[in-house]
Amino acid sequence: MELTSTSFLVTLIVVTALAVLAALLLWNRIPGPGWVRWPARLLMIGLCQLTAICVVATWINGSYGLYSSWDDLLGTDEGQELGAMTGPPVGRARFTQGGDGTRTTYFRGSHSKLAGQVTVWTPPEYSAPGAARTRFPVLMLLHGYPGTPRTWIDLGSMPGALTDLVNLGAAHPFILVIPEIYPGGVNTDCSNTPDRKIADWLAEDVPELVARNFRTLPAPGGWGLMGVSTGAFCAAKLPLQYPKVFRAGAALDPDPLTGDPEVLSDPVLRERNSPMWLVEHTRKADVGLFLATSAQDKDSPPQQLAAFAEAAAGSGVRVKTLVRPTGGHNFQTWTGMYPDALGWLSTELGPPTAS
């Protein structure tokens, strides 16, 4: 059971309720003398408090993404990193059906040599009668740091939020692809480094896996990204680096668009992998970018969106910005941006098309 999953939080709530109920029922039924009964009662009180604290701690962790997994919490990411290179190649990857309609696999990419988890969800239209020859646009969802693919489902209201917009006619029925953005536990802001080719993982390995196993529109016209926080930084930069793979990217509250020195200490590597540098050195790329933030978000100030739009002028890159008056750096704010972001992506990417 994953640390950030809803099922884990619900289980803790049930255990807490049972602990309280047991204390009430057993309080006056404990046999023996007082020196036996009172320690037992103190133990019951302590158990109730411990389970209640676990519920609150889990809820806070899920809301703020403090720890993304048990390995992260226990400090065993190093072992995970060593095992991250294992896994079947793309040709032998097998998807496992989940109870929430998603399919998940763990595979090793042939380009990056990295391995990680990828979750895929297909819209109801994908399996509708008569749709066997229809190909669908793909939207890759990029989580933040720390975070996991499950963050989009447990906290980000996906795929339900997309389904609601599709039913309103406000968005395409996308195939949703949710990959790990730092396989092995090392964050590089989705960049290729001498040690880790995470950009190749996201822009080559994952698309190859999905195109092999699902009816997708061809790249780049049918492929886009949407990210939050660190994932938003990646959603802004990957279309600029891989315009033959991604037509559009929607960045919700992106990290500093000039790069983060704490992630990439090499100033040249950091600059060449920043959306700001890339857009200034991009010419005539058929790419669209949607950048959104709130006036209250100090982690993603509106000024950087204006600076980016100014830098993009004359590059050929289509830029649309959105600044909401209120909101923090969290999914409550980001879900409020979905209608604008998904509606815009639906104008940039092709609709489902019969082949």
Side-chain angles (χ1 to χ4, degrees):
M1 196 175 296
E2 293 189 25
L3 177 64
T4 58
S5 66
T6 302
S7 59
F8 179 63
L9 177 60
V10 171
T11 299
L12 285 177
I13 293 173
V14 171
V15 170
T16 301
L18 291 175
V20 172
L21 180 61
L24 291 173
L25 294 176
L26 299 176
W27 188 263
N28 291 319
R29 298 183 183 184
I30 301 173
W35 65 269
V36 172
R37 293 197 305 271
W38 281 108
R41 288 169 177 169
L42 289 175
L43 182 63
M44 289 190 294
I45 293 173
L47 180 61
C48 291
Q49 291 179 328
L50 177 62
T51 54
I53 290 171
C54 288
V55 168
V56 174
T58 301
W59 177 80
I60 292 174
N61 181 65
S63 298
Y64 294 96
L66 303 177
Y67 297 97
S68 60
S69 65
W70 289 109
D71 287 326
D72 190 15
L73 175 64
L74 300 175
T76 57
D77 275 340
E78 185 175 340
Q80 179 184 358
E81 181 180 343
L82 293 174
M85 306 306 293
T86 64
V90 62
R92 296 206 303 270
R94 295 292 178 266
F95 284 87
T96 301
Q97 186 75 46
D100 54 6
T102 62
R103 285 174 262 190
T104 300
T105 190
Y106 186 91
F107 84 106
R108 185 179 71 255
S110 59
H111 300 277
S112 67
K113 310 304 180 186
L114 296 172
Q117 176 182 303
V118 177
T119 297
V120 177
W121 175 84
T122 55
E125 293 81 358
Y126 188 90
S127 304
R133 297 179 61 85
T134 300
R135 295 187 173 274
F136 286 76
V138 178
L139 180 60
M140 192 179 295
L141 301 178
L142 306 180
H143 59 80
Y145 180 84
T148 68
R150 285 292 312 183
T151 306
W152 281 99
I153 299 168
D154 296 333
L155 301 178
S157 303
M158 285 293 185
L162 172 62
T163 300
D164 291 342
L165 290 171
V166 171
N167 291 337
L168 292 172
H172 290 331
F174 293 105
I175 295 173
L176 296 182
V177 177
I178 318 177
E180 292 186 60
I181 71 167
Y182 43 92
V186 178
N187 178 28
T188 70
D189 276 347
C190 304
S191 305
N192 283 344
T193 69
D195 299 323
R196 292 189 165 269
K197 309 297 183 184
I198 292 184
D200 289 351
W201 159 259
L202 292 169
E204 298 188 67
D205 293 329
V206 173
E208 181 181 332
L209 169 80
V210 175
R212 180 188 289 261
N213 288 277
F214 298 91
R215 301 191 312 273
T216 67
L217 287 177
W223 289 70
L225 308 110
M226 184 168 76
V228 297
S229 192
T230 298
F233 176 95
C234 302
K237 91 181 190 76
L238 289 174
L240 298 173
Q241 289 182 311
Y242 297 86
K244 293 183 179 180
V245 180
F246 303 113
R247 174 63 51 80
L252 311 184
D253 283 359
D255 287 351
L257 296 173
T258 53
D260 186 348
E262 295 184 4
V263 176
L264 296 176
S265 57
D266 184 330
V268 175
L269 183 64
R270 181 173 66 252
E271 178 188 57
R272 300 303 170 88
N273 280 280
S274 69
M276 185 66 77
W277 186 91
L278 288 166
V279 78
E280 290 174 342
H281 293 79
T282 297
R283 291 293 178 267
K284 298 182 180 178
D286 186 12
V287 167
L289 295 176
F290 175 93
L291 289 85
T293 189
S294 75
Q296 295 179 327
D297 191 345
K298 296 180 180 179
D299 294 321
S300 185
Q303 293 87 341
Q304 74 162 345
L305 271 60
F308 184 87
E310 182 179 352
S315 68
V317 176
R318 301 177 297 280
V319 177
K320 181 177 176 62
T321 61
L322 170 69
V323 177
R324 294 171 63 92
T326 60
H329 204 76
N330 52 54
F331 265 109
Q332 183 175 352
T333 300
W334 300 330
T335 53
M337 296 171 176
Y338 287 174
D340 293 287
L342 293 169
W344 177 86
L345 283 162
S346 297
T347 66
E348 290 285 326
L349 303 178
T353 304
S355 57

